[in-house]
Amino acid sequence: MARTALPHDAKAGPTKPEVRAVLHGKLDLAPNDHFAEVGPCTGAVTIEAARRAGRVTAIERKPERLAVSRKNLAANDVTTDVTLREAEAPDGLPEDADALFIGGSRNYESVLDHAVETGVDRVVMNVSRLEVAGAATEAFRERNLLDEVVQFQVSHGYQLAGATSFDSDNPVYMLVGSPNEVAADGGEPTDVKRTSAKRDADGSNRSDGPGTSSEQNSDGSDGSREPRTSPERDSDGRRR
């Protein structure tokens, strides 16, 4: 895929390339998708989304940032239908978006409400402050949207005294969500969350692999194996 050129600066952002790579993996845009974005700033995410999705609508409340997004779009090989709107979200957001990226924390609860009301299939929000990340996580949960929260930090190497040291970027909290419809009878949700534990036929949780909770025996005891111990040996070195 072509490199993203950002010759014009919005004095905020852009979202770092490594973060954008994870973001697009979570959005999983397809050629027939309508992608909506809140806060394009430099247009970095907008440009790369336009290379994947069929349509893009980006909402920016600051006219000077919107102008930067427009200039950077023109500097790249973007042929997709891209609409840039000067508005304060959720105003201006489309009613038929398939995927939504929230690039800032302003009015995010109203934006999430809009996503739920219009049936957006995938919602991703990036947060840089711990307190906002906690509040946003609760907001996703309250709307039955939360799939996962990913925290990651990127470091870049540089030469120092003939060796390599690293400069670290600030951590990023990425909230990933999708609608989780409740069954008509009020029981289990019809859409099983990706992070939910799988269940056996008897209803007990079973492990999906390393890092998940261990299985339980029928008596309720922990079914994990006891660690192996070395066999004892006699004084002549034979096992007993």
Side-chain angles (χ1 to χ4, degrees), residues 12-39:
T15 303
K16 298 292 191 297
E18 296 84 1
V19 177
R20 298 200 305 265
V22 177
L23 168 64
H24 288 299
K26 299 298 183 183
L27 288 169
D28 193 23
L29 296 173
N32 60 341
D33 279 342
H34 185 181
F35 170 70
E37 179 183 11
V38 176

PDB file of all heavy atoms in Angstrom, residues 12-39:
ATOM      1  N   ALA A  12      -1.439  19.331  15.770  1.00  0.00           N
ATOM      2  CA  ALA A  12      -2.019  18.330  16.681  1.00  0.00           C
ATOM      3  C   ALA A  12      -2.019  17.012  15.933  1.00  0.00           C
ATOM      4  O   ALA A  12      -2.457  16.954  14.790  1.00  0.00           O
ATOM      5  CB  ALA A  12      -3.430  18.717  17.095  1.00  0.00           C
ATOM      6  N   GLY A  13      -1.507  15.962  16.580  1.00  0.00           N
ATOM      7  CA  GLY A  13      -1.404  14.702  15.857  1.00  0.00           C
ATOM      8  C   GLY A  13      -0.177  14.745  14.961  1.00  0.00           C
ATOM      9  O   GLY A  13       0.730  15.549  15.176  1.00  0.00           O
ATOM     10  N   PRO A  14      -0.103  13.919  13.928  1.00  0.00           N
ATOM     11  CA  PRO A  14      -1.110  12.937  13.543  1.00  0.00           C
ATOM     12  C   PRO A  14      -1.038  11.675  14.394  1.00  0.00           C
ATOM     13  O   PRO A  14      -0.086  11.509  15.164  1.00  0.00           O
ATOM     14  CB  PRO A  14      -0.724  12.624  12.098  1.00  0.00           C
ATOM     15  CG  PRO A  14       0.766  12.759  12.100  1.00  0.00           C
ATOM     16  CD  PRO A  14       1.064  13.907  13.034  1.00  0.00           C
ATOM     17  N   THR A  15      -2.032  10.815  14.252  1.00  0.00           N
ATOM     18  CA  THR A  15      -1.959   9.493  14.866  1.00  0.00           C
ATOM     19  C   THR A  15      -0.729   8.781  14.305  1.00  0.00           C
ATOM     20  O   THR A  15      -0.523   8.735  13.096  1.00  0.00           O
ATOM     21  CB  THR A  15      -3.229   8.684  14.541  1.00  0.00           C
ATOM     22  OG1 THR A  15      -4.373   9.414  14.986  1.00  0.00           O
ATOM     23  CG2 THR A  15      -3.200   7.329  15.227  1.00  0.00           C
ATOM     24  N   LYS A  16       0.104   8.249  15.212  1.00  0.00           N
ATOM     25  CA  LYS A  16       1.365   7.634  14.799  1.00  0.00           C
ATOM     26  C   LYS A  16       1.116   6.453  13.840  1.00  0.00           C
ATOM     27  O   LYS A  16       0.110   5.751  13.943  1.00  0.00           O
ATOM     28  CB  LYS A  16       2.141   7.151  16.024  1.00  0.00           C
ATOM     29  CG  LYS A  16       2.530   8.267  16.990  1.00  0.00           C
ATOM     30  CD  LYS A  16       3.555   9.200  16.381  1.00  0.00           C
ATOM     31  CE  LYS A  16       4.147  10.162  17.409  1.00  0.00           C
ATOM     32  NZ  LYS A  16       3.163  11.077  17.983  1.00  0.00           N
ATOM     33  N   PRO A  17       2.055   6.230  12.900  1.00  0.00           N
ATOM     34  CA  PRO A  17       1.876   5.151  11.918  1.00  0.00           C
ATOM     35  C   PRO A  17       1.628   3.787  12.552  1.00  0.00           C
ATOM     36  O   PRO A  17       0.796   3.009  12.070  1.00  0.00           O
ATOM     37  CB  PRO A  17       3.196   5.165  11.134  1.00  0.00           C
ATOM     38  CG  PRO A  17       3.714   6.553  11.288  1.00  0.00           C
ATOM     39  CD  PRO A  17       3.304   6.984  12.652  1.00  0.00           C
ATOM     40  N   GLU A  18       2.352   3.453  13.626  1.00  0.00           N
ATOM     41  CA  GLU A  18       2.178   2.150  14.271  1.00  0.00           C
ATOM     42  C   GLU A  18       0.791   2.023  14.890  1.00  0.00           C
ATOM     43  O   GLU A  18       0.168   0.956  14.863  1.00  0.00           O
ATOM     44  CB  GLU A  18       3.253   1.948  15.341  1.00  0.00           C
ATOM     45  CG  GLU A  18       4.678   1.889  14.803  1.00  0.00           C
ATOM     46  CD  GLU A  18       5.301   3.263  14.602  1.00  0.00           C
ATOM     47  OE1 GLU A  18       4.629   4.285  14.897  1.00  0.00           O
ATOM     48  OE2 GLU A  18       6.456   3.322  14.153  1.00  0.00           O
ATOM     49  N   VAL A  19       0.290   3.114  15.446  1.00  0.00           N
ATOM     50  CA  VAL A  19      -1.058   3.114  16.023  1.00  0.00           C
ATOM     51  C   VAL A  19      -2.092   2.979  14.915  1.00  0.00           C
ATOM     52  O   VAL A  19      -3.085   2.254  15.054  1.00  0.00           O
ATOM     53  CB  VAL A  19      -1.300   4.396  16.851  1.00  0.00           C
ATOM     54  CG1 VAL A  19      -2.726   4.434  17.391  1.00  0.00           C
ATOM     55  CG2 VAL A  19      -0.302   4.495  17.993  1.00  0.00           C
ATOM     56  N   ARG A  20      -1.854   3.644  13.802  1.00  0.00           N
ATOM     57  CA  ARG A  20      -2.787   3.537  12.671  1.00  0.00           C
ATOM     58  C   ARG A  20      -2.842   2.105  12.143  1.00  0.00           C
ATOM     59  O   ARG A  20      -3.901   1.631  11.726  1.00  0.00           O
ATOM     60  CB  ARG A  20      -2.378   4.500  11.548  1.00  0.00           C
ATOM     61  CG  ARG A  20      -2.410   5.964  11.944  1.00  0.00           C
ATOM     62  CD  ARG A  20      -2.482   6.890  10.740  1.00  0.00           C
ATOM     63  NE  ARG A  20      -1.434   6.709   9.757  1.00  0.00           N
ATOM     64  CZ  ARG A  20      -0.300   7.405   9.690  1.00  0.00           C
ATOM     65  NH1 ARG A  20      -0.037   8.331  10.615  1.00  0.00           N
ATOM     66  NH2 ARG A  20       0.580   7.198   8.733  1.00  0.00           N
ATOM     67  N   ALA A  21      -1.710   1.422  12.161  1.00  0.00           N
ATOM     68  CA  ALA A  21      -1.684   0.036  11.679  1.00  0.00           C
ATOM     69  C   ALA A  21      -2.590  -0.847  12.535  1.00  0.00           C
ATOM     70  O   ALA A  21      -3.364  -1.662  12.010  1.00  0.00           O
ATOM     71  CB  ALA A  21      -0.258  -0.497  11.689  1.00  0.00           C
ATOM     72  N   VAL A  22      -2.512  -0.684  13.856  1.00  0.00           N
ATOM     73  CA  VAL A  22      -3.387  -1.452  14.751  1.00  0.00           C
ATOM     74  C   VAL A  22      -4.839  -1.028  14.554  1.00  0.00           C
ATOM     75  O   VAL A  22      -5.753  -1.860  14.498  1.00  0.00           O
ATOM     76  CB  VAL A  22      -2.964  -1.257  16.224  1.00  0.00           C
ATOM     77  CG1 VAL A  22      -3.920  -1.993  17.153  1.00  0.00           C
ATOM     78  CG2 VAL A  22      -1.536  -1.750  16.436  1.00  0.00           C
ATOM     79  N   LEU A  23      -5.055   0.272  14.441  1.00  0.00           N
ATOM     80  CA  LEU A  23      -6.408   0.805  14.258  1.00  0.00           C
ATOM     81  C   LEU A  23      -7.094   0.203  13.044  1.00  0.00           C
ATOM     82  O   LEU A  23      -8.239  -0.261  13.120  1.00  0.00           O
ATOM     83  CB  LEU A  23      -6.334   2.331  14.133  1.00  0.00           C
ATOM     84  CG  LEU A  23      -7.599   3.052  13.662  1.00  0.00           C
ATOM     85  CD1 LEU A  23      -8.714   2.875  14.676  1.00  0.00           C
ATOM     86  CD2 LEU A  23      -7.314   4.530  13.429  1.00  0.00           C
ATOM     87  N   HIS A  24      -6.401   0.180  11.908  1.00  0.00           N
ATOM     88  CA  HIS A  24      -7.021  -0.356  10.693  1.00  0.00           C
ATOM     89  C   HIS A  24      -7.252  -1.857  10.794  1.00  0.00           C
ATOM     90  O   HIS A  24      -8.205  -2.388  10.197  1.00  0.00           O
ATOM     91  CB  HIS A  24      -6.163  -0.012   9.479  1.00  0.00           C
ATOM     92  CG  HIS A  24      -6.214   1.445   9.109  1.00  0.00           C
ATOM     93  ND1 HIS A  24      -7.384   2.080   8.751  1.00  0.00           N
ATOM     94  CD2 HIS A  24      -5.243   2.394   9.078  1.00  0.00           C
ATOM     95  CE1 HIS A  24      -7.140   3.355   8.495  1.00  0.00           C
ATOM     96  NE2 HIS A  24      -5.851   3.571   8.698  1.00  0.00           N
ATOM     97  N   GLY A  25      -6.402  -2.542  11.559  1.00  0.00           N
ATOM     98  CA  GLY A  25      -6.654  -3.955  11.799  1.00  0.00           C
ATOM     99  C   GLY A  25      -7.949  -4.174  12.563  1.00  0.00           C
ATOM    100  O   GLY A  25      -8.696  -5.121  12.290  1.00  0.00           O
ATOM    101  N   LYS A  26      -8.232  -3.300  13.529  1.00  0.00           N
ATOM    102  CA  LYS A  26      -9.461  -3.413  14.320  1.00  0.00           C
ATOM    103  C   LYS A  26     -10.689  -2.985  13.514  1.00  0.00           C
ATOM    104  O   LYS A  26     -11.762  -3.573  13.645  1.00  0.00           O
ATOM    105  CB  LYS A  26      -9.357  -2.576  15.593  1.00  0.00           C
ATOM    106  CG  LYS A  26      -8.221  -2.980  16.527  1.00  0.00           C
ATOM    107  CD  LYS A  26      -8.379  -4.386  17.031  1.00  0.00           C
ATOM    108  CE  LYS A  26      -7.270  -4.748  18.025  1.00  0.00           C
ATOM    109  NZ  LYS A  26      -7.378  -6.161  18.485  1.00  0.00           N
ATOM    110  N   LEU A  27     -10.531  -1.953  12.681  1.00  0.00           N
ATOM    111  CA  LEU A  27     -11.664  -1.485  11.876  1.00  0.00           C
ATOM    112  C   LEU A  27     -12.029  -2.488  10.781  1.00  0.00           C
ATOM    113  O   LEU A  27     -13.198  -2.638  10.440  1.00  0.00           O
ATOM    114  CB  LEU A  27     -11.324  -0.143  11.238  1.00  0.00           C
ATOM    115  CG  LEU A  27     -11.277   1.066  12.173  1.00  0.00           C
ATOM    116  CD1 LEU A  27     -10.681   2.268  11.460  1.00  0.00           C
ATOM    117  CD2 LEU A  27     -12.663   1.399  12.724  1.00  0.00           C
ATOM    118  N   ASP A  28     -11.018  -3.158  10.230  1.00  0.00           N
ATOM    119  CA  ASP A  28     -11.238  -4.207   9.222  1.00  0.00           C
ATOM    120  C   ASP A  28     -12.142  -3.706   8.089  1.00  0.00           C
ATOM    121  O   ASP A  28     -13.157  -4.322   7.772  1.00  0.00           O
ATOM    122  CB  ASP A  28     -11.842  -5.450   9.897  1.00  0.00           C
ATOM    123  CG  ASP A  28     -11.808  -6.676   9.003  1.00  0.00           C
ATOM    124  OD1 ASP A  28     -10.964  -6.713   8.085  1.00  0.00           O
ATOM    125  OD2 ASP A  28     -12.632  -7.589   9.207  1.00  0.00           O
ATOM    126  N   LEU A  29     -11.758  -2.590   7.491  1.00  0.00           N
ATOM    127  CA  LEU A  29     -12.579  -1.966   6.451  1.00  0.00           C
ATOM    128  C   LEU A  29     -12.581  -2.785   5.166  1.00  0.00           C
ATOM    129  O   LEU A  29     -11.564  -3.354   4.768  1.00  0.00           O
ATOM    130  CB  LEU A  29     -12.077  -0.558   6.166  1.00  0.00           C
ATOM    131  CG  LEU A  29     -12.182   0.430   7.336  1.00  0.00           C
ATOM    132  CD1 LEU A  29     -11.487   1.749   6.985  1.00  0.00           C
ATOM    133  CD2 LEU A  29     -13.632   0.666   7.728  1.00  0.00           C
ATOM    134  N   ALA A  30     -13.740  -2.806   4.527  1.00  0.00           N
ATOM    135  CA  ALA A  30     -13.916  -3.510   3.262  1.00  0.00           C
ATOM    136  C   ALA A  30     -14.292  -2.501   2.179  1.00  0.00           C
ATOM    137  O   ALA A  30     -14.746  -1.392   2.482  1.00  0.00           O
ATOM    138  CB  ALA A  30     -15.004  -4.578   3.398  1.00  0.00           C
ATOM    139  N   PRO A  31     -14.132  -2.868   0.892  1.00  0.00           N
ATOM    140  CA  PRO A  31     -14.391  -1.927  -0.205  1.00  0.00           C
ATOM    141  C   PRO A  31     -15.817  -1.380  -0.260  1.00  0.00           C
ATOM    142  O   PRO A  31     -16.039  -0.301  -0.828  1.00  0.00           O
ATOM    143  CB  PRO A  31     -14.090  -2.766  -1.460  1.00  0.00           C
ATOM    144  CG  PRO A  31     -13.104  -3.786  -0.997  1.00  0.00           C
ATOM    145  CD  PRO A  31     -13.520  -4.119   0.402  1.00  0.00           C
ATOM    146  N   ASN A  32     -16.761  -2.081   0.333  1.00  0.00           N
ATOM    147  CA  ASN A  32     -18.146  -1.588   0.304  1.00  0.00           C
ATOM    148  C   ASN A  32     -18.553  -0.890   1.596  1.00  0.00           C
ATOM    149  O   ASN A  32     -19.723  -0.554   1.787  1.00  0.00           O
ATOM    150  CB  ASN A  32     -19.108  -2.747   0.021  1.00  0.00           C
ATOM    151  CG  ASN A  32     -19.034  -3.835   1.068  1.00  0.00           C
ATOM    152  OD1 ASN A  32     -18.045  -3.918   1.799  1.00  0.00           O
ATOM    153  ND2 ASN A  32     -20.062  -4.671   1.136  1.00  0.00           N
ATOM    154  N   ASP A  33     -17.608  -0.648   2.505  1.00  0.00           N
ATOM    155  CA  ASP A  33     -17.906  -0.009   3.786  1.00  0.00           C
ATOM    156  C   ASP A  33     -17.992   1.507   3.666  1.00  0.00           C
ATOM    157  O   ASP A  33     -17.277   2.124   2.866  1.00  0.00           O
ATOM    158  CB  ASP A  33     -16.834  -0.348   4.823  1.00  0.00           C
ATOM    159  CG  ASP A  33     -17.037  -1.709   5.469  1.00  0.00           C
ATOM    160  OD1 ASP A  33     -18.151  -2.240   5.393  1.00  0.00           O
ATOM    161  OD2 ASP A  33     -16.060  -2.239   6.046  1.00  0.00           O
ATOM    162  N   HIS A  34     -18.854   2.078   4.499  1.00  0.00           N
ATOM    163  CA  HIS A  34     -18.896   3.530   4.688  1.00  0.00           C
ATOM    164  C   HIS A  34     -18.228   3.806   6.028  1.00  0.00           C
ATOM    165  O   HIS A  34     -18.734   3.411   7.078  1.00  0.00           O
ATOM    166  CB  HIS A  34     -20.340   4.035   4.687  1.00  0.00           C
ATOM    167  CG  HIS A  34     -20.453   5.527   4.769  1.00  0.00           C
ATOM    168  ND1 HIS A  34     -21.676   6.171   4.807  1.00  0.00           N
ATOM    169  CD2 HIS A  34     -19.508   6.519   4.816  1.00  0.00           C
ATOM    170  CE1 HIS A  34     -21.469   7.491   4.880  1.00  0.00           C
ATOM    171  NE2 HIS A  34     -20.175   7.716   4.896  1.00  0.00           N
ATOM    172  N   PHE A  35     -17.082   4.467   5.991  1.00  0.00           N
ATOM    173  CA  PHE A  35     -16.300   4.749   7.191  1.00  0.00           C
ATOM    174  C   PHE A  35     -16.554   6.176   7.647  1.00  0.00           C
ATOM    175  O   PHE A  35     -16.503   7.113   6.847  1.00  0.00           O
ATOM    176  CB  PHE A  35     -14.816   4.559   6.898  1.00  0.00           C
ATOM    177  CG  PHE A  35     -13.895   5.057   7.981  1.00  0.00           C
ATOM    178  CD1 PHE A  35     -13.822   4.400   9.205  1.00  0.00           C
ATOM    179  CD2 PHE A  35     -13.100   6.173   7.787  1.00  0.00           C
ATOM    180  CE1 PHE A  35     -12.967   4.854  10.205  1.00  0.00           C
ATOM    181  CE2 PHE A  35     -12.239   6.636   8.782  1.00  0.00           C
ATOM    182  CZ  PHE A  35     -12.177   5.970   9.998  1.00  0.00           C
ATOM    183  N   ALA A  36     -16.833   6.350   8.935  1.00  0.00           N
ATOM    184  CA  ALA A  36     -17.039   7.671   9.518  1.00  0.00           C
ATOM    185  C   ALA A  36     -15.949   7.945  10.543  1.00  0.00           C
ATOM    186  O   ALA A  36     -15.529   7.043  11.269  1.00  0.00           O
ATOM    187  CB  ALA A  36     -18.416   7.765  10.170  1.00  0.00           C
ATOM    188  N   GLU A  37     -15.508   9.199  10.603  1.00  0.00           N
ATOM    189  CA  GLU A  37     -14.420   9.579  11.502  1.00  0.00           C
ATOM    190  C   GLU A  37     -14.761  10.880  12.205  1.00  0.00           C
ATOM    191  O   GLU A  37     -15.261  11.822  11.584  1.00  0.00           O
ATOM    192  CB  GLU A  37     -13.119   9.739  10.712  1.00  0.00           C
ATOM    193  CG  GLU A  37     -11.929  10.149  11.559  1.00  0.00           C
ATOM    194  CD  GLU A  37     -10.676  10.372  10.731  1.00  0.00           C
ATOM    195  OE1 GLU A  37     -10.780  10.418   9.482  1.00  0.00           O
ATOM    196  OE2 GLU A  37      -9.589  10.512  11.330  1.00  0.00           O
ATOM    197  N   VAL A  38     -14.469  10.915  13.495  1.00  0.00           N
ATOM    198  CA  VAL A  38     -14.629  12.137  14.276  1.00  0.00           C
ATOM    199  C   VAL A  38     -13.244  12.667  14.620  1.00  0.00           C
ATOM    200  O   VAL A  38     -12.472  11.993  15.303  1.00  0.00           O
ATOM    201  CB  VAL A  38     -15.432  11.878  15.568  1.00  0.00           C
ATOM    202  CG1 VAL A  38     -15.508  13.153  16.406  1.00  0.00           C
ATOM    203  CG2 VAL A  38     -16.828  11.375  15.246  1.00  0.00           C
ATOM    204  N   GLY A  39     -12.921  13.866  14.136  1.00  0.00           N
ATOM    205  CA  GLY A  39     -11.629  14.476  14.439  1.00  0.00           C
ATOM    206  C   GLY A  39     -10.507  14.023  13.539  1.00  0.00           C
ATOM    207  O   GLY A  39      -9.517  13.455  14.023  1.00  0.00           O
TER     208      GLY A  39
END
